[in-house]
Amino acid sequence: MNTAGVARMGYDTAIKIVPLQCSGQANPQLIMDALKDGADAVGVIGCCIGACHFVNGNMLSMHRIKLMKQLFKELGYSDQQINHYTARAAEGETAVGDFEDIMARLKRAEHDGTTLPEGW
Amino acid sequence: MVNAMVESVTIFNFGSCPKCFDETLLLPSEEKYAIERVADPASWDGTRTDVAVITGYLVPGDAAVVEQIAANAGQVIAFGTCAVTAGPFGLASAKGTKFLAAREVAKDAIELPACLGEWFELYEAIQGNAPQRPYKKLCSTCKRRSTCKFLSEVVRQLDPATDEESCFNDRGFACNGYVARQCKEKCIDQFTPCRACKPLIDRPGIRMLSMFGTLVANVEVATEATGGIAGTDKLADGPDDVTRGVPDVSGVFFRFSLPVEMPLGKVLSSGNILSNVFTGRMIEELPLIAGMLGGQNAISMQLDIIEAYEQGTGIEVTDVVKTHRNNLRELESQIMTAIENSDAVAYGGTTEQIRQVAGNMNLSRVYFGGFKTVIPGEQASFEEYKAKIIEFKQGTYQAGNVAYTLDAEGKVTDFTWSVKA
Amino acid sequence: MTEEEIENQHETGQSEQSSEPKKPRIGVFICHCGHNIADTVAVEKVTEFAKTLPNVEHAEHYMFMCSKPGIELIKKAIKEKNLDRTVVASCSKTQHGPTFAHAIEEEGLNRHMHQQVNIREWCSWPHIKDKAGATEKAEQMLEAGVNRSRKLEPVETRQIATTPAALVIGAGIAGLRAASDLAALGVKTYVVEKEPTIGGHMTQLNKTFPTQECPQCSISPLTNGVANDKNITLLTMAQVKAVEGSFGNFKVEVEITPRYVKDNCTSCGDCSAHCPVEVPSEWDSGMSMRKAIYKPFPQAIPATYVRDKKACIECHACENVCPAHAVDFSQKRETRKVEVGTIILAVGYDEYDPTEISAYHYHQDGYEDIITQLELERMLVAGSITNSALLRPSDGKVPRRVTMIQCVGSRNEQVGNKYCTGVCCMFAIKNAQIVKDNYPDTDVAICYIDIRTPGLNNEEFYKKAQEKGIKFIRGRPGEIQRDPITGQLLVIVEDTLSQTPLKIKSDLVVLSAAMVPPRSIGTLGSALHVLRDKTGFVKEFHIKMNPVKSSKDGIFLAGAIQGPKDIPQSVAQAGAAASLAAAPLVRGYIEKEMLVPQIDYDLCVNCGLCISACSPAAIYRNEAENKIMINEISCKACGLCGPACPTGAIQLKNFRDDEISDEIAALAVAPREGGHVHD
């Protein structure tokens, strides 16, 4: 994210960043908090597979989000509003690419009418 | 805060499983307070009461009545998980059914979740001794021990014969015991995973999902490239070993908390509340769910479900099993009689007999092929009627009052129970 | 209050003031960063907005917050407004987070009471074209930062005294170099080696590339140096069994197998001469035999003989004949506890065993003339079983045709390993040249996929081999066949450059086997809690920026255990490891921020998943109390324990679920036109 900023790569102001120690610290409870508070989509971005500073934090997050996606589908909602991405710290465009992917998937879900309701 | 000067207790029954309501028959009648039991709250006359006990699940249409109750009661107690958070019926919220938690209307309600509600806990709460945090934990009484080493496999069922010691979760089989309080029914003792009907924390579903998702860290999860020159990786769409192991995330992790933790679902309703609860569930979980919400018909509902599948797939059961099942059906009519007559002694005696055979009032021991654990005194024939690992066969199954269809994954796609409530 | 007083207050849990929890007093500082932020984000507007937030006692903006005057403004505000925490909205946490943290520390606040909000890289710079949007977002980010700062707690930094000693596990070239460098720095060093001798695989080699030097000669000053250094305690026949403690203070349990020969052994060899038992010599790769009581090779250090208890028939001939009365059958296995501050892991590699590749028939009856490069080295070395002659194991004749096969066990998706060992091209070319130099009439061919000889002098080495007439055939042999009548070995390979299938008649086939992790690393790695990657080699901390640190603080890596490499790479890494391992010992302490998780035992169900999730193994179960506890020194503050916990009992300080949730609350809401986001 820093690299993207330094290179002045543009993205939508709708993207808000919450820094964590490791993507493995991204708690599904917090993801649900974000969605309930009004976020339209949540992406967890971590290190590349195999390169986690803390061994496998990124894999832990991936598994949890996979279960959450299944849950959303079971409730008749799109599973595209949450995802786990990996990005390379030195390549800002990977983070920006991930942001664009989040937005594109959200738009598709909005178009299909399968987004989570506002506040619950 | 209720004090010892309680003179009147009024018990109300809302939603359609009246087991918690029936269970209040066991409240000692020699106590100083008068107990009034109101089976139809809509027609209640609104008399002031010291303690109002609400059982059964609530829907928005009940709000007015609950408000009236709260206005005319010194203390409201929500007894049983249905009154607290809609209980297992809450799974119907995936199909758009709205529920009401007692505390949304009666803000100071004491909450006594459990499925089946624990009458002695209610007895204490009436006296002013409601359970306080820190709650006792299920894990501290469970015989099994966890190591919680990362798993590379998620399984849908376990063979009961093999293992009395390891935690189910360690075997890759989700058990929500970690987020549950100590309880009376102890499904876990009948080789049945706990589904946290009595939660230890406020958001048991999402936390248990997080925990189990972490535990299965070494299971293959499907990823894909994000595409483009700057692509890295992300989770792929589509099933993988994680989702194949838990094909019903809401049913496993959110069985008793779906309406409070997740938004109202948008899946097309199947018509009635029972169908809405059962569709989407895995066949192997059906017996326990039926045992929990079948109410006075729990035994026959459960046995019909089981026998429909056994007949449809050619699973044979021994004569010993048949005898015990017939005994259970017999006990079901006995208990209905006891309830009709408000006969607490007969009720108490019959429930004890049911517990002897079925393990507990959630009938956790009863299963496809036989029983999951040994009925006391039946050790010798346990080998014969040990539960088998059933395969998940697509098809339509029918027996007694029950008819349902399973898809290729062994999930229920429709369900009918043709007994009028 | 001074920092020390604040720390004491935190530690004792008592306050000098009233027992009521103090309301936070937050100071907000918004930086223009020249044009970088202020041109896009309306900083005055954001400052006014900050003033409306609860608990914000001071808010101002300035051109360059990180400059001297900027820092002065912060300090002034802390003093005048009695602030107890700060939020600076400027650039990134990595860039100036420490600057501001340090500044508030100088004013007596704990440095963890500072919250950094990045409205430059994360706001003004990516949203240059959308000023209104950027300003709205900056307001939200600021509110999130303020929310986050409300519940921050001070975190103490502890100085932990280190045990002034180091442990080197493995006495091959890497371990010896590391031990020698440590001793030169004055560090008391233990060297633990599982074999009876030191020097490792390097001592088994005939020559080293590219200069064809004698490795025994090269390594001898080091082996002798280490054996005689008064700062070094050398333990051979010793293995690390268990490790407790953490960086700065490890307690290591070393198990020493007895030699059954005392230290007064004069190395005369009489015992060996009289021993009736012969077994294949492991050190000689099975090329020759040794006795049950033996010295692995003449120049072995320590020079003390050793008795192989399993092979020994207990005739006691050795004991009777020893002039120094050094043989002692009564010796027992010993356990020694060693206390050190840092550990260097240098246990090297094993040669891949090609038996797995059935098509190559290694070690099968009738195929005795198929050997590995290490076995070839043992044959060619001075004083070998063949007296350095190149002879076929089957009939003792000089081979007329030698074929070498590269990438045996490397670069293979089906058997062995996917990786390239990276050293075999050089050592195959080295051995090919030695054969060709000494046996000019012998044809030597090398079957390869690619020839990889990077680095100075190595390409030249390869060229020289070609000039000597060594043939290079580009193809991976599918099979080694054997003519059933003549016994002739045939290497079946396609020359992919000329696209010709070949059956190369060979008198001797030499397999360039991969370097694989040593067998012992499974249990040793677990005892040390170091992570290994998929290949089994021990994983470095960062593949680019820190190949010497392991995943566990205080344990460093040297040599092939961190991945196949050659001697100069091992030596260089060993020097780096010695330097890193010595630093905290020479300084006398390590500094650690106590940013650690806290456990609410009312919620903890003792499942232990946090223990599995913890990458540095900083969480453990106290067996006596059956309670989960935290090793505050090993903890890396990664926070992986939090989401693993089913009940939320374990929460990382300053990163608790409720704290991050507060931060999210301000960011998740859609901004409203014209005003801020919360009423």
Side-chain angles (χ1 to χ4, degrees):
Chain A
M1 256 96 27
N2 284 359
T3 326
V6 166
R8 315 295 197 272
M9 293 181 196
Y11 52 87
D12 199 312
T13 51
I15 303 278
K16 310 287 183 354
I17 298 164
V18 177
L20 295 175
Q21 302 285 79
C22 171
S23 62
Q25 197 187 14
N27 194 326
Q29 187 176 304
L30 295 173
I31 296 173
M32 292 312 300
D33 281 350
L35 291 166
K36 190 166 184 179
D37 285 343
D40 299 305
V42 176
V44 175
I45 303 186
C47 295
C48 291
I49 295 171
C52 174
H53 283 100
F54 304 105
V55 186
N56 65 347
N58 49 8
M59 294 313 293
L60 302 186
S61 170
M62 277 195 162
H63 284 69
R64 297 188 288 245
I65 293 179
K66 188 76 188 178
L67 285 172
M68 289 179 78
K69 282 161 152 310
Q70 173 76 13
L71 175 66
F72 286 13
K73 286 221 301 265
E74 287 170 13
L75 299 179
Y77 293 110
S78 164
D79 65 349
Q80 300 296 297
Q81 287 177 271
I82 53 172
N83 212 322
H84 177 108
Y85 298 84
T86 62
R88 285 185 276 270
E91 297 173 16
E93 51 287 1
T94 57
V96 173
D98 290 344
F99 296 160
E100 285 169 2
D101 193 77
I102 294 173
M103 304 284 290
R105 284 171 186 267
L106 173 61
K107 281 198 169 49
R108 256 180 274 147
E110 282 171 344
H111 180 263
D112 293 342
T114 51
T115 49
L116 291 165
E118 299 266 320
W120 66 82
Chain B
M1 217 27 217
V2 182
N3 57 29
M5 298 300 298
V6 172
E7 287 176 5
S8 54
V9 173
T10 312
I11 307 174
F12 299 90
N13 179 39
F14 286 83
S16 82
C17 164
K19 265 165 67 170
C20 290
F21 184 67
D22 297 337
E23 192 75 352
T24 61
L25 278 173
L26 295 174
L27 283 172
S29 54
E30 318 89 64
E31 291 301 315
K32 290 197 192 93
Y33 46 78
I35 301 176
E36 195 199 334
R37 305 178 80 249
V38 179
D40 181 17
S43 62
W44 174 55
D45 60 13
T47 333
R48 169 106 196 133
T49 182
D50 288 330
V51 176
V53 179
I54 293 179
T55 68
Y57 67 82
L58 304 167
V59 293
D62 297 322
V65 180
V66 178
E67 255 179 62
Q68 200 196 8
I69 293 171
N72 289 307
Q75 174 71 58
V76 175
I77 302 179
F79 179 58
T81 317
C82 283
V84 180
T85 53
F89 294 96
L91 288 171
S93 84
K95 315 286 202 315
T97 309
K98 284 198 194 154
F99 292 95
L100 200 66
R103 62 167 173 254
E104 286 181 76
V105 181
K107 303 255 182 295
D108 297 319
I110 291 174
E111 293 179 334
L112 301 178
C115 179
L116 175 57
E118 299 176 8
W119 70 264
F120 54 88
E121 225 179 38
L122 175 61
Y123 175 68
E124 288 293 317
I126 291 171
Q127 245 90 263
N129 301 326
Q132 302 283 345
R133 284 194 162 96
Y135 298 129
K136 298 211 179 94
K137 304 156 195 166
L138 182 82
C139 287
S140 49
T141 57
C142 178
K143 295 188 295 253
R144 299 168 184 274
R145 285 284 153 262
S146 69
T147 60
C148 276
K149 297 219 185 332
F150 286 147
L151 302 174
S152 29
E153 202 191 19
V154 189
V155 302
R156 279 176 61 167
Q157 287 188 89
L158 288 179
D159 176 357
T162 54
D163 187 353
E164 307 244 315
E165 286 167 6
S166 22
C167 171
F168 290 153
N169 286 285
D170 272 350
R171 306 271 306 279
F173 183 52
C175 168
N176 308 22
Y178 294 130
V179 293
R181 292 187 235 176
Q182 258 182 51
C183 66
K184 185 178 178 193
E185 302 311 320
K186 298 276 300 281
C187 303
I188 193 81
D189 285 346
Q190 308 309 324
F191 206 84
T192 299
C194 168
R195 290 287 172 242
C197 67
K198 207 175 170 187
L200 193 58
I201 53 175
D202 283 339
R203 296 164 78 173
I206 196 71
R207 285 224 76 106
M208 191 61 213
L209 180 154
S210 181
M211 186 261 174
F212 196 71
T214 308
L215 184 64
V216 296
N218 291 337
V219 175
E220 277 286 330
V221 69
T223 58
E224 67 187 20
T226 46
I229 30 161
T232 52
D233 297 294
K234 67 174 184 305
L235 277 173
D237 293 326
D240 60 20
D241 287 342
V242 173
T243 54
R244 274 187 281 270
V246 191
D248 177 20
V249 173
S250 47
V252 167
F253 297 116
F254 295 83
R255 189 164 297 174
F256 289 89
S257 64
L258 192 62
V260 293
E261 289 201 59
M262 298 299 291
L264 202 61
K266 285 168 72 148
V267 180
L268 204 59
S269 167
S270 332
N272 62 41
I273 195 166
L274 273 185
S275 302
N276 283 340
V277 171
F278 280 110
T279 49
R281 310 279 81 80
M282 302 183 276
I283 175 64
E284 63 268 27
E285 300 274 323
L286 246 48
L288 181 67
I289 301 175
M292 282 173 158
L293 53 60
Q296 287 161 11
N297 300 95
I299 291 172
S300 45
M301 183 191 284
Q302 191 190 53
L303 288 175
D304 285 349
I305 289 173
I306 287 172
E307 284 164 5
Y309 193 75
E310 286 172 345
Q311 284 160 25
T313 53
I315 296 174
E316 303 263 324
V317 293
T318 64
D319 290 334
V320 182
V321 168
K322 288 186 188 144
T323 311
H324 282 296
R325 285 184 181 170
N326 289 335
N327 188 17
L328 281 175
R329 288 190 193 268
E330 179 53 45
L331 288 167
E332 183 170 83
S333 28
Q334 281 179 24
I335 209 177
M336 280 199 205
T337 312
I339 291 165
E340 269 169 42
N341 300 336
S342 290
D343 184 347
V345 175
Y347 175 84
T350 316
T351 55
E352 274 317 300
Q353 290 180 62
I354 292 174
R355 283 175 194 279
Q356 276 282 83
V357 182
N360 58 22
M361 281 305 282
N362 291 337
L363 318 172
S364 304
R365 185 183 275 151
V366 187
Y367 202 61
F368 301 95
F371 297 88
K372 284 189 188 170
T373 52
V374 186
I375 296 174
E378 291 285 14
Q379 183 66 49
S381 49
F382 181 66
E383 291 305 308
E384 279 178 48
Y385 63 53
K386 248 174 1 203
K388 303 161 183 48
I389 299 282
I390 54 161
E391 292 168 356
F392 320 119
K393 291 213 183 96
Q394 193 164 5
T396 305
Y397 304 94
Q398 196 169 337
N401 294 309
V402 141
Y404 56 90
T405 308
L406 298 182
D407 68 10
E409 267 189 301
K411 271 166 109 165
V412 178
T413 51
D414 59 71
F415 182 93
T416 37
W417 167 250
S418 55
V419 164
K420 294 291 169 227
Chain C
M1 271 194 270
T2 64
E3 189 190 5
E4 201 184 325
E5 284 170 276
I6 292 178
E7 276 181 6
N8 286 340
Q9 178 183 311
H10 173 67
E11 270 183 287
T12 59
Q14 289 181 338
S15 171
E16 287 175 1
Q17 285 100 359
S18 72
S19 56
E20 217 192 73
K22 280 165 66 180
K23 276 213 179 86
R25 298 181 63 81
I26 307 172
V28 173
F29 305 89
I30 300 171
C31 187
H32 296 223
C33 194
H35 295 290
N36 288 307
I37 294 175
D39 273 10
T40 312
V41 171
V43 290
E44 297 90 356
K45 189 163 181 284
V46 178
T47 311
E48 289 313 304
F49 167 66
K51 290 180 183 164
T52 67
L53 297 172
N55 308 114
V56 172
E57 301 297 329
H58 177 94
E60 68 177 300
H61 59 91
Y62 183 67
M63 193 58 82
F64 292 106
M65 254 9 268
C66 57
S67 65
K68 206 155 177 294
I71 300 285
E72 282 310 307
L73 286 176
I74 297 175
K75 290 184 171 183
K76 186 161 172 276
I78 291 174
K79 277 195 278 272
E80 287 179 1
K81 300 276 178 76
N82 204 11
L83 304 174
D84 68 356
R85 58 200 74 208
T86 54
V87 176
V88 173
S90 62
C91 53
S92 73
K93 189 170 173 184
T94 3
Q95 180 148 10
H96 277 303
T99 314
F100 301 119
H102 183 67
I104 72 173
E105 203 172 27
E106 287 180 339
E107 281 308 307
L109 297 182
N110 182 281
R111 69 173 90 122
H112 289 260
M113 301 306 282
H114 169 71
Q115 181 71 18
Q116 185 71 11
V117 178
N118 187 347
I119 56 170
R120 192 183 67 176
E121 279 90 336
W122 293 2
C123 193
S124 66
W125 277 350
H127 307 314
I128 279 178
K129 300 200 179 110
D130 181 1
K131 293 197 186 9
T135 305
E136 280 279 16
K137 182 170 164 178
E139 288 185 354
Q140 278 188 283
M141 290 175 72
L142 184 69
E143 184 172 1
V146 167
N147 286 355
R148 195 75 160 69
S149 96
R150 271 193 203 101
K151 291 181 188 165
L152 287 175
E153 293 174 278
V155 172
E156 59 155 324
T157 303
R158 243 187 257 170
Q159 277 186 0
I160 298 156
T162 50
T163 308
L167 169 67
V168 176
I169 309 177
I173 179 63
L176 291 173
R177 174 87 260 148
S180 178
D181 287 358
L182 281 167
L185 282 164
V187 173
K188 181 172 158 57
T189 308
Y190 294 93
V191 177
V192 167
E193 165 58 57
K194 75 176 187 323
E195 297 298 325
T197 58
I198 60 177
H201 286 302
M202 189 170 166
T203 57
Q204 292 175 295
L205 301 179
N206 172 32
K207 296 270 185 281
T208 54
F209 60 74
T211 48
Q212 309 289 29
E213 278 173 54
C214 160
Q216 288 276 14
C217 309
S218 310
I219 206 177
S220 169
L222 205 47
T223 47
N224 282 291
V226 164
N228 294 316
D229 195 313
K230 52 181 179 5
N231 273 335
I232 297 179
T233 304
L234 178 61
L235 300 170
T236 52
M237 313 272 297
Q239 294 197 62
V240 168
K241 279 298 169 208
V243 179
E244 271 178 7
S246 49
F247 181 25
N249 297 287
F250 289 110
K251 285 192 178 43
V252 183
E253 200 178 283
V254 179
E255 195 180 75
I256 306 175
T257 308
R259 278 181 187 259
Y260 304 106
V261 179
K262 294 196 288 233
D263 284 343
N264 63 332
C265 165
T266 59
S267 221
C268 69
D270 282 359
C271 52
S272 218
H274 284 84
C275 175
V277 179
E278 272 199 338
V279 290
S281 163
E282 303 88 345
W283 186 82
D284 207 11
S285 285
M287 297 301 258
S288 64
M289 305 297 274
R290 61 157 173 85
K291 298 297 183 73
I293 186 163
Y294 68 106
K295 188 163 71 172
F297 56 97
Q299 309 88 335
I301 292 171
T304 313
Y305 272 62
V306 57
R307 176 177 83 102
D308 174 0
K309 186 165 183 220
K310 282 205 191 82
C312 175
I313 56 169
E314 306 208 4
C315 66
H316 292 259
C318 53
E319 193 179 11
N320 296 331
V321 95
C322 174
H325 302 288
V327 179
D328 178 6
F329 277 57
S330 73
Q331 280 183 2
K332 293 260 180 297
R333 194 174 288 256
E334 193 196 318
T335 301
R336 228 207 266 196
K337 292 231 165 78
V338 151
E339 289 182 13
V340 295
T342 49
I343 298 175
I344 295 179
L345 180 58
V347 293
Y349 68 95
D350 276 350
E351 188 187 44
Y352 170 74
D353 181 352
T355 311
E356 194 188 18
I357 307 178
S358 45
Y360 287 177
H361 303 289
Y362 177 69
H363 272 183
Q364 284 178 23
D365 285 336
Y367 294 88
E368 290 78 16
D369 297 323
I370 301 176
I371 61 175
T372 62
Q373 293 282 3
L374 194 54
E375 288 166 336
L376 179 64
E377 301 265 353
R378 291 315 307 153
M379 204 198 303
L380 297 176
V381 79
S384 77
I385 188 76
T386 62
N387 222 352
S388 310
L390 177 68
L391 302 174
R392 281 161 37 106
S394 58
D395 57 12
K397 296 209 174 80
V398 173
R400 293 289 316 281
R401 285 170 285 247
V402 174
T403 308
M404 295 188 178
I405 302 181
Q406 297 306 99
C407 310
V408 174
S410 302
R411 303 189 67 189
N412 202 317
E413 303 269 332
Q414 273 114 30
V415 285
N417 309 283
K418 289 192 186 150
Y419 57 81
C420 165
T421 296
V423 184
C424 327
C425 283
M426 279 305 289
F427 65 57
I429 291 173
K430 167 194 75 176
N431 285 338
Q433 290 197 38
I434 291 171
V435 168
K436 201 70 184 165
D437 287 346
N438 289 293
Y439 299 89
D441 291 335
T442 296
D443 285 336
V444 183
I446 299 181
C447 298
Y448 70 97
I449 308 174
D450 296 284
I451 292 290
R452 294 181 166 166
T453 56
L456 287 184
N457 303 307
N458 292 348
E459 177 66 19
E460 297 91 318
F461 193 66
Y462 171 32
K463 189 117 192 281
K464 210 189 309 172
Q466 293 173 303
E467 285 163 7
K468 287 183 183 172
I470 293 164
K471 299 196 189 66
F472 286 86
I473 299 167
R474 188 172 178 279
R476 175 177 244 163
E479 224 197 311
I480 304 172
Q481 285 174 358
R482 183 174 173 270
D483 185 309
I485 301 165
T486 64
Q488 169 83 72
L489 290 175
L490 296 165
V491 174
I492 313 299
V493 63
E494 187 199 337
D495 178 345
T496 56
L497 291 176
S498 64
Q499 293 180 343
T500 316
L502 300 173
K503 278 188 183 177
I504 307 177
K505 290 189 189 154
S506 309
D507 299 328
L508 182 70
V509 177
V510 186
L511 306 175
S512 295
M515 285 167 81
V516 297
R519 232 164 301 124
S520 55
I521 196 57
T523 29
L524 180 58
S526 303
L528 292 169
H529 287 300
V530 289
L531 291 145
R532 292 179 288 138
D533 79 358
K534 273 196 286 263
T535 59
F537 289 104
V538 178
K539 192 142 166 61
E540 66 285 305
F541 185 74
H542 193 281
I543 199 164
K544 278 296 209 211
M545 299 310 291
N546 211 326
V548 183
K549 250 180 88 161
S550 74
S551 58
K552 186 153 164 97
D553 282 341
I555 300 185
F556 304 94
L557 307 174
I561 190 58
Q562 183 259 335
K565 52 176 67 73
D566 62 15
I567 291 165
Q569 288 166 347
S570 299
V571 170
Q573 194 179 33
S579 168
L580 289 179
L585 310 181
V586 164
R587 192 189 314 128
Y589 61 86
I590 54 165
E591 262 186 2
K592 175 108 195 327
E593 289 185 336
M594 295 288 118
L595 189 65
V596 294
Q598 290 153 319
I599 297 177
D600 179 353
Y601 289 103
D602 286 341
L603 286 175
C604 174
V605 293
N606 214 341
C607 71
L609 186 57
C610 51
I611 297 176
S612 298
C614 178
S615 55
I619 307 181
Y620 63 98
R621 190 176 269 121
N622 177 320
E623 296 298 340
E625 298 175 62
N626 197 24
K627 233 165 100 154
I628 302 214
M629 302 188 75
I630 301 182
N631 179 334
E632 297 184 330
I633 297 166
S634 299
C635 172
K636 285 188 179 168
C638 66
L640 297 192
C641 48
C645 179
T647 58
I650 187 165
Q651 299 281 346
L652 180 61
K653 203 170 178 183
N654 290 345
F655 282 87
R656 294 198 318 259
D657 286 336
D658 58 302
E659 294 180 274
I660 302 175
S661 195
D662 288 346
E663 184 176 353
I664 288 172
L667 296 174
V669 198
R672 269 174 247 148
E673 271 295 339
H676 56 87
V677 299
H678 284 296
D679 294 329

